[in-house]
Structures are given as C-alpha cells and as structure tokens.
C-alpha cells in the first residue's frame, strides 16, 4: 500500500532551508520533523516552518518518520545514511553519496536488500546542458560518445562566511565532491568510469584552507584535474577547482562530442553542431537551454557579465526542463540551482511513495561519487592510472517495479 512520507530533515543549515517547504508542499508528504545538533538551528527551523524538531539523529530515528533527508556537511553523509537505512527509513541525501568507497558499497547493499528508496539529490542532472546532451545522445544525433569535459568550479572566496569559518572542513579534497561534474556528464552518456588518472594544483595562497595540519584530510590541493575512461570507450576530462578565477556557471559541460556531432558552451552560449558533407551544420540552441529569465535579458549591454555573476540561474526554468510535470502545489514556491530543486524533491517523493526507482538511485549515485574518491588517490600518486570499482546497474527486479 502506498504510504505518505513522514520526513525527518537532518541538518538545518543553508541548503536544507530551500527544501523544507518543498517537502511540506508535496502531495505525497504527510509531515516533516527537523533536526540539528546545534539546538538554535533546529529550534529556529522548527519555528520558521512550524514543524516538530529535535537535536540528534538518534532522537530523529525515534520520531514517527519513514524517511530521512540528509543535509549535513558534505563529508559526513555515508555513516548517517547507513544508520537511517538500517532503521528502515527511505533516504534522500544531498551530494555526495559518501567520502569512502566502502560506505557507497554498503549503501548500495542495504538498498538492494531492503528495497527502500535511496536518492542522491544531484542538482546537475537537471541542468539544461546535461539534459540536452542526454537528449541528443538518446536520439542518436551525436553518434557514439567519444569525448566530453565537465567541471565544477567554485572559488573558495565565493563560499559564504559561515562555510569559510569552518577551516577544518572547507579544505576537503576537491575530488571528494565530484558529483556535479561527473553527474552532468555520466547522466548524458549513460555510461560509467572504469579508469582514472589525476593531477592536482598545490595551493600557495596565504589562507588556512588547503594546508597540512589544518583540514581534516591534510589536503594541500585546491584544484584537481582528471582524465577518466568510460565503459563505452569514451574519455572525459573532469575538473574540481576551488581556487579559480571564475564564478558562474559553477557547473558546466564546456564540450561534449560524439562521432557525428558535438555541443560546446561558454558563458550563455550553447552551440550544437552536426557533421554534414564536408563541414558541419551549426545551431545556436541557447534559447532552448538558458533559463527563460536569462533569455528575456539577453540584449542588455552587461548581459554576459551578469551571467558570469550567477544572475538568472536560480529559480527560472529553461524550455528543456519538463516543469509541467511538477505538482501544482509547487507553483510559486522557491527553487534553486538552475531550477533543479523542485524536480529532485518530486523525484524522491514520487519514487518512495510509489515504490519505484528514483532518478539518481544508489547505483547511479555510486557511479557519480566513487571515481572522485579514486581520482584523489591517483592525484596523490602524481597521476598513476587506477581502476575504478563499479557496483553495477540496479537489479532488474527493482527496475521493473
Ligand atoms: N548544488 C548542490 O547540490 C548543493 C549546494 C549546496 C550544498 N549542498 C550540500 O548540502 C549539504 C549541507 O550544506 P549546507 O550548506 O546547508 O551546510 P551547513 O553547514 O550550512 O549546514 C549543515 C548543518 O548540519 C548540521 N549537522 C552537522 N552534523 C549533524 C548531525 N550529525 N546531525 C544533525 N545535524 C548535523 C550542522 O550543525 C549544520 O547546521 C552538504 O552536504 C552540501 O554538500 C549541495
């Protein structure tokens, strides 16, 4: 029988604030409880959203809930997700899946054994660049995939003051947060990584983030670059940079090529080419992929600079995004990250309620996460190529549900 969701939100910080109203408004959600180890955070969210609240995962798991939504800091997800699954809860987790391969493996195993819903909330699978490359791969216009580039560039100076105060955590190895770049491109190629070689940029700036003895990992690399081989024979270049002179879009696919066609992107320009007799046919697909609010403003004299500063990249849908499928209760509610938030929460709630596989299920989440963990090992060994473990596709029985 379908059961409405009673969601426990773990972590009352900057990110979860955008999601609680989406859980509360979803037609498959009955109630929400919020939880944070910092008492004031839990209390203030409880008051703001008019929900019950508590102060630890143990307390939360004893509440009347059947799902946990994890929004704790990025390096903490594995153990709390495992705990929630072991207590029989469906889990929605902010990215990444975990910071240890064994945790990813255990999450996949638990989901397989229990049939519970696990979904990783990878915002970038709903980024128009990724949706476009996927669409063109699926209809055959690119031919066979040969090469692609994806990146998540987020300069340390653009993190909020609250995050920059946490010097122990902010210097996390960039490849431990690989899911935006990997997710965008793997989502489009429908393949997975088999081998990786990586190099890093040793930070030299005079601030405390990427220093031995300060961050939890003794990580000294602020930027990390890799080449990864895919199971389909293609090769991808993945960058994770935290010391870099750019702001937006932070996650992008600058280039994506098949044997018959390609996609290129810069600032707000999206170009699609298809091989033709002795040349190419070029189509500017910018108006199809940019958020509608961005397109409305494209003739402003300072348009490109405003795009480079993240304008119009939060709430506004782009024509490629299927927003008509969202619940009517979401009309007028907040969104975020290229209007991806509403799709993600709808995907999770729909999957858990109907007992079907969610978009970024445990198997896919592992494919978006594990190559980064291996890439950090390669980087520390100055680029030695390493094999990447893969936990396979979801079993047929789950795919057929
Ligand atoms: N585009 C994206 O997908 C995207 C964007 C931003 C953040 N995120 C992810 O969202 C998560 C949260 O980020 P944030 O910016 O809100 O961080 P934050 O530091 O603002 O909030 C995290 C909160 O979790 C609480 N917390 C820590 N451990 C806890 C525990 N064991 N139990 C209960 N509460 C605990 C902290 O006290 C804090 O209030 C991170 O994993 C981050 O990677 C994803």
């Amino acid at each position: 029988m379908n059961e409405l969701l009673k969601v426990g939100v773990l972590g009352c910080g900057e990110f979860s604030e955008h999601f609680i109203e989406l859980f509360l408004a979803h037609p498959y959600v009955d109630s929400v409880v919020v939880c944070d180890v910092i008492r004031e955070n839990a209390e203030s969210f409880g008051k703001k959203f008019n929900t019950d609240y508590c102060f630890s995962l143990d307390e939360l798991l004893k509440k009347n809930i059947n799902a946990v939504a994890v929004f704790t800091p990025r390096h903490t997800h594995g153990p709390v997700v495992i705990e929630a699954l072991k207590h029989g809860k469906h889990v929605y987790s902010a990215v990444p899946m975990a910071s240890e391969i064994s945790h990813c493996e255990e999450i996949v195993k638990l989901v397989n054994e229990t049939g519970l819903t696990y979904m990783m909330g990878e915002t970038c699978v709903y980024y128009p660049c990724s949706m476009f490359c996927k669409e063109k791969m699926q209809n055959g216009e690119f031919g066979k995939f040969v090469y692609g580039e994806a990146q998540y560039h987020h300069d340390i100076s653009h993190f909020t003051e609250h995050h920059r105060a946490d010097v122990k955590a902010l210097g996390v190895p960039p490849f431990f947060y690989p899911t935006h770049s990997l997710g965008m491109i793997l989502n489009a190629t429908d393949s997975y990584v088999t081998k990786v070689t990586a190099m890093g940029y040793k930070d030299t700036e005079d601030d405390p983030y990427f220093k031995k003895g300060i961050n939890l990992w003794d990580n000294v690399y602020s930027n990390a670059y890799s080449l990864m081989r895919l199971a389909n024979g293609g090769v991808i270049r993945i960058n994770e940079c935290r010391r870099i002179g750019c702001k937006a879009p932070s996650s992008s696919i600058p280039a994506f090529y098949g044997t018959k066609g390609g996609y290129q992107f810069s600032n707000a320009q999206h170009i699609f080419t298809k091989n033709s007799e002795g040349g190419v046919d070029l189509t500017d697909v910018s108006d199809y992929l940019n958020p509608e609010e961005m397109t409305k403003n494209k003739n402003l004299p300072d348009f490109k600079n405003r795009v480079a500063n993240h304008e119009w990249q939060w709430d506004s849908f782009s024509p490629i995004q299927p927003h008509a499928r969202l619940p009517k209760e979401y009309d007028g509610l907040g969104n975020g990250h290229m209007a991806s938030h509403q799709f993600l929460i709808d995907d999770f709630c729909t999957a858990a309620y109907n007992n079907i596989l969610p978009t970024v299920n445990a198997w896919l989440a592992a494919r978006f996460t594990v190559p980064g963990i291996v890439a950090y090992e390669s980087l520390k060994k100055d680029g030695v190529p390493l094999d990447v473990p893969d936990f396979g596709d979801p079993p047929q029985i789950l795919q057929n549900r």
Side-chain angles (χ1 to χ4, degrees):
M1 199 180 68
N2 298 353
E3 207 185 331
L4 286 175
L5 299 177
K6 298 180 172 70
V7 183
V9 172
L10 191 76
C12 301
E14 287 181 4
F15 198 46
S16 64
E17 188 161 19
H18 301 291
F19 291 88
I20 295 169
E21 68 169 4
L22 298 180
F23 279 118
L24 283 167
H26 199 280
Y28 295 151
V29 172
D30 174 66
S31 58
V32 170
V33 186
V34 298
C35 171
D36 201 292
V37 285
I38 301 178
R39 296 179 79 90
E40 311 87 78
N41 290 8
E43 281 164 5
S44 91
F45 271 37
K47 282 188 193 123
K48 179 167 179 182
F49 296 104
N50 196 21
T51 66
D52 188 10
Y53 54 89
C54 61
F55 310 114
S56 71
L57 178 59
D58 281 353
E59 266 185 89
L60 186 66
L61 292 171
K62 288 181 191 133
K63 297 269 181 190
N64 181 18
I65 59 166
N66 54 13
V68 174
V70 175
F71 291 94
T72 57
R74 58 187 64 183
H75 59 287
T76 62
H77 299 165
V80 289
V81 168
I82 289 167
E83 193 65 11
L85 288 169
K86 283 186 174 166
H87 279 78
K89 313 299 177 195
H90 301 298
V91 175
Y92 176 91
S93 171
V95 301
M97 186 181 207
S99 305
E100 288 180 29
I101 295 173
S102 62
H103 291 160
C104 297
E105 189 171 14
E106 181 154 13
I107 292 167
V108 168
K109 184 169 155 271
L110 284 167
V111 173
N112 196 16
E113 283 168 5
T114 59
L116 289 163
T117 297
Y118 167 90
M119 175 166 153
M120 184 177 78
E122 178 42 68
T123 43
C124 291
V125 299
Y126 282 105
Y127 275 27
C129 57
S130 181
M131 296 182 76
F132 181 77
C133 291
K134 187 181 180 108
E135 183 180 291
K136 294 292 176 202
M137 277 305 296
Q138 285 184 339
N139 71 16
E141 288 183 82
F142 279 139
K144 289 185 196 131
F145 176 74
V146 288
Y147 175 74
E149 300 171 357
Q151 59 208 30
Y152 173 56
H153 287 171
H154 195 162
D155 190 73
I156 209 89
S157 66
H158 301 141
F159 281 80
T160 62
E161 227 170 273
H162 150 76
H163 286 123
R164 275 184 282 135
D166 191 358
V167 289
K168 281 190 176 167
L170 205 56
V172 61
F175 271 138
F176 283 10
Y177 195 79
T179 62
H180 296 331
S181 45
L182 274 165
M184 278 187 299
I185 213 152
L186 294 182
N187 182 48
T189 59
D190 196 22
S191 190
Y192 57 93
V193 177
T194 57
K195 204 176 213 37
V196 59
T197 169
M199 290 195 183
Y201 170 78
K202 274 191 189 163
D203 205 67
T204 57
E205 301 305 304
D206 193 19
D207 58 27
Y209 304 115
F210 302 100
K211 300 273 187 300
K212 269 210 164 77
I214 295 191
N215 66 61
L216 297 172
W217 304 265
D218 280 338
N219 171 46
V220 296
Y221 297 96
S222 51
N223 293 345
Y225 324 97
S226 69
L227 281 179
M228 301 190 181
R229 177 173 297 142
L230 302 191
N232 66 9
V235 171
I236 60 178
R237 188 276 287 146
I238 294 292
N239 280 4
E240 288 295 330
C241 299
R242 309 291 177 261
R243 190 79 77 180
I244 191 144
C246 81
K247 183 163 169 73
S250 52
S251 308
S252 67
I253 301 179
F256 188 102
Y257 300 101
T259 47
K260 293 184 185 165
Y263 161 84
Q264 291 163 313
F265 165 76
S266 173
N267 187 259
Q269 188 181 46
H270 304 260
I271 297 293
F272 173 53
T273 53
K274 268 169 81 172
N275 287 350
S276 60
E277 198 65 38
V280 290
D281 287 332
L282 183 151
T283 315
D284 185 325
V285 290
S286 305
D287 290 358
Y288 181 44
L289 300 195
N290 283 330
E292 280 159 13
E293 282 306 310
M294 189 183 280
T295 300
K296 276 189 205 158
N297 288 287
K298 68 180 178 183
N299 294 322
L300 292 176
D302 56 352
F303 173 71
K304 287 182 183 171
N305 197 52
R306 287 168 72 172
V307 171
N309 280 288
H310 250 142
E311 207 161 326
W312 309 298
Q313 292 162 62
W314 191 254
D315 276 323
S316 174
F317 290 113
S318 104
I320 197 174
Q321 293 174 314
H323 55 89
R325 71 146 230 227
L326 293 169
K328 63 179 178 356
E329 290 83 353
Y330 278 8
D331 285 355
L333 292 190
N335 210 330
H337 291 96
M338 290 278 190
S340 62
H341 294 183
Q342 295 189 356
F343 290 111
L344 293 173
I345 299 307
D346 183 51
D347 282 354
F348 172 72
C349 295
T350 303
Y353 180 76
N354 292 309
N355 197 23
I356 54 175
L357 260 187
T359 37
V360 188
N361 55 64
W363 290 264
L364 197 53
R367 286 176 168 172
F368 290 2
T369 304
V370 170
I373 302 173
V374 181
Y376 183 54
E377 288 309 307
S378 169
L379 175 157
K380 284 190 291 182
K381 296 177 178 135
D382 207 22
V384 65
L386 294 174
D387 290 332
V388 175
D390 179 64
F391 306 124
D393 294 319
Q396 203 61 42
I397 190 165
L398 295 182
Q399 295 185 45
N400 293 341
R401 285 198 308 205

